[in-house]
Amino acid sequence: MSNTFFYGTDHLTSGICLAIAAGKIKGVIPPEAAENIQSSWEEVKKIVLSQQPVYGVNTGFGPLCDTHISEKDTSLLQINILKSHSVGVGNPIPQEIAKIMMITKVQALAQGYSGISPVTLDRIIWHIDHDIIPVVPEKGSVGASGDLAPLSHLFLPLIGLGEVFHKGERIKSSQVLEEYGLAPVSLGPKEGLALINGTQFILAFAVKAVERLNNALDAADIIGAMSLEGLTGSTRPFDERLHQLRPYKGTKLVAARLSALLEGSEIGRSHIGCSRVQDPYSIRCMPQVHGASRNAWLHLKELTEIELNSVTDNPIIFSAEDSISGGNFHGQPLAMALDYVTVAAAELGNIADRRCYLMNEGKYGLPKLLTADAGLNSGLMIPQYTTAALVTENKTLCFPASADSVPTSLGQEDHVSMGSISGRKLHQVIDNLEYIQAIELLYASQAMEFRRPLLSAPIIEACHQLVRKHVPVIEDDRIFADDINQLHQLLTSGILLKTANENAQLNHINLKSDDEFRIY
């Protein structure tokens, strides 16, 4: 992967976008894109001189699209739209999400169909490069006509208004500009509209969800395999021949990963030929359930990548004589996928909770509640209450926001996507999922203790040893919230996945997926 990304000409992926946000890759405007940007900017100036009515260039906005704006007021119009549309409420979105919004907006504008000036684009890149991140409230977008409110807040700092996060502080944008000896940008015709028309709020949440859910999917297979070992489950349902008969991509991938994770397990060999005919679904059907969630993730990743390389503002400027007022700003393509993937994420938590319950029941040679001294000790009775609560909370978050539409702009914008809500809800579900997975990891690692001295396969043993470095074996009751938080940190920091992948390389085990399942 190159250390430089060329806005407007290179193909942007979720992984590259995240790497730019992390400062691992630098995004620049190449000469070809600079020429297209300048050309589009010149075409907009021609429109102003020609007096030809073009939406948002020399007309008002929304239901005011029939109101003519004089040539001398075209710049003021663009400043006013940033001010009047900054109506977001609630807590600020994460700084990383705001930064991704800027990166994705530059990629869209740099393609040369938006009439943005090179100076304005350079200033946005300056914000990205210097990690000076605008404060963007989380609520207020209906996900059509662009993410108007959040994008307005995102770009207020260009004109010296609003607030930014800088060096760990939240301060006024004007203060930062003064510190760096910069003047506010003077917006020209169409620039304000070009900045705030687009799907970058929805898109930024989608990009981050692609990464977070990918990690959760990988963790689900590892933790599920540990649970299987604790329950002395069978690996026969992961046989490649079975899944060639129903060849969904996600299902085949999960079956192959589970087989690789469990290859060579002493625990597995110890019960070959036992009397148990088949395992409960939460063990036996991991390829089908985890795999279905992977299929949904793959769909989101593909659509997100299309959006990352699209032009989503309005109107689109092909030339001074040829501009189109269309609907590329409508968030429905991503909104529906985000809602679908919300269900996929919730289902990963649902099946994990079932495995926790199963390990508590006292079946398959495990003690009830995974404690040798049940009665005096409650053991792992109550953590499953937490998974049950989180699973139910996730179910309440699964109602699709994109199934609703409230008309806005006096009926001019009479169907909207609500995709901004879809994106935020998905992250709430993933937040809960990560805690559910931490709790299953607590259960699975404890269940494996009752299979000693038998060992599992190398990757599973490495993950189990990692758990034990942070969470000791449970012998007596203690404050299990501390254990859950420790394991949550192992998951969200990527340490568990890193341990699994490094051990796989050491043992020449292939856990890598096909290119289409990677985010770069």
Side-chain angles (χ1 to χ4, degrees), residues 57-103:
V57 177
N58 48 22
T59 75
F61 304 112
L64 303 174
C65 59
D66 295 326
T67 303
H68 176 73
I69 305 298
S70 66
E71 181 181 339
K72 68 179 180 65
D73 288 332
T74 52
S75 181
L76 179 59
L77 177 70
Q78 304 307 313
I79 294 171
N80 284 345
I81 193 175
L82 285 185
K83 292 178 180 178
S84 67
H85 287 49
S86 294
V87 294
V89 298
N91 296 322
I93 62 173
Q95 292 181 51
E96 184 184 17
I97 297 290
K99 195 171 186 179
I100 293 169
M101 287 177 69
M102 289 192 288
I103 293 164

Side-chain angles (χ1 to χ4, degrees), residues 286-308:
M286 281 192 282
Q288 290 79 8
V289 179
H290 294 191
S293 292
R294 281 191 181 269
N295 289 334
W297 173 87
L298 183 60
H299 187 212
L300 177 65
K301 191 203 90 161
E302 291 171 345
L303 295 185
T304 298
E305 200 161 313
I306 291 171
E307 197 80 347
L308 280 167

